Amino acid sequence: MSTRETRIETFEDLFGYFHQNQWCMIHCAVWMGPIYNKFRHHYIILGYEWVSSVQTTLIIHFTTGSKGKVGIQPYTRDCFERDIRAGLSVLENDRYPSTDEEFEKAYDRFEEIKNEKKYSITLNNCEHLANYILTGEQISSQIENLPWYKKLITFAFDSSQASQNKQQYEMPTPTEQDHRFKQASSLPN
């Protein structure tokens, strides 16, 4: 999977990827703070609607905190500006959705795992999530490209976190009410 990366220098650069009133999913990656400077957080901007009055749109990602789960949350211009200062890039790939049918399939993949809490650095991180939604393949080049000894350390850390948490995970069953975010949005039919 050959991915092109464009470093975003200004909010206007990023806003150029938005497509008002039509399906749009923008894969972003941002360098994490000083502790995680070797890893990037990935998320997908649902770039078909920018609410100017509150300077906000929606993103799909693993939400943060102890209840981190796959979900949609509002993201403001200030959040994007912070990410741009930290090192935000837009990732593009010929396999990413480009037709309404492909966007529907990608959104269906999101719906299948919405509210999932199975975060794992090595097996199910935010890059795995973004690639799965956009292509159907759950891959993370950050993990794949680690030297073997760093993979081993990362896997050991991941395993210790999982055993400390001992949470039961259940896949949500989509309801008729949340089946289509698109139906509730201002997207054209």
Side-chain angles (χ1 to χ4, degrees), residues 15 20 24 80 119 138 144 158:
F15 199 71
Q20 290 291 109
C24 179
F80 289 122
Y119 182 85
Q138 192 173 4
E144 289 177 3
D158 215 11

Side-chain angles (χ1 to χ4, degrees), residues 22-42:
Q22 65 183 14
W23 271 112
C24 179
M25 291 181 170
I26 306 161
H27 183 178
C28 293
V30 60
W31 289 103
M32 298 301 290
I35 295 173
Y36 305 108
N37 66 358
K38 299 290 183 188
F39 290 95
R40 297 192 299 175
H41 175 60
H42 289 249

Side-chain angles (χ1 to χ4, degrees), residues 11-147:
F11 180 77
E12 288 70 28
D13 293 345
L14 178 63
F15 199 71
Y17 287 90
F18 283 65
H19 301 289
Q20 290 291 109
N21 300 318
Q22 65 183 14
W23 271 112
C24 179
M25 291 181 170
I26 306 161
H27 183 178
C28 293
V30 60
W31 289 103
M32 298 301 290
I35 295 173
Y36 305 108
N37 66 358
K38 299 290 183 188
F39 290 95
R40 297 192 299 175
H41 175 60
H42 289 249
Y43 55 86
I44 298 170
I45 301 171
L46 296 175
Y48 53 77
E49 186 172 34
W50 178 256
V51 183
S52 298
S53 60
V54 289
Q55 296 286 290
T56 303
T57 193
L58 299 173
I59 66 168
I60 296 174
H61 72 136
F62 270 109
T63 60
T64 56
S66 62
K67 297 182 181 186
K69 63 182 179 180
V70 175
I72 292 179
Q73 77 177 54
Y75 219 62
T76 65
R77 182 176 179 145
D78 289 342
C79 295
F80 289 122
E81 296 281 2
R82 179 199 62 220
D83 289 353
I84 290 166
R85 286 189 304 275
L88 180 68
S89 293
V90 168
L91 307 175
E92 298 175 279
N93 190 297
D94 293 337
R95 296 187 54 218
Y96 289 176
S98 61
T99 67
D100 286 346
E101 183 179 336
E102 291 170 345
F103 282 113
E104 289 280 340
K105 286 180 183 177
Y107 200 82
D108 286 345
R109 285 190 289 269
F110 162 70
E111 285 290 332
E112 290 170 11
I113 58 174
K114 183 178 170 184
N115 295 319
E116 180 182 275
K117 294 183 178 180
K118 293 184 179 179
Y119 182 85
S120 162
I121 293 171
T122 54
L123 302 172
N124 195 28
N125 65 40
C126 53
E127 185 179 11
H128 287 110
L129 172 69
N131 282 314
Y132 173 71
I133 290 170
L134 294 169
T135 68
E137 281 188 50
Q138 192 173 4
I139 59 172
S140 171
S141 61
Q142 293 181 107
I143 298 301
E144 289 177 3
N145 294 330
L146 284 176

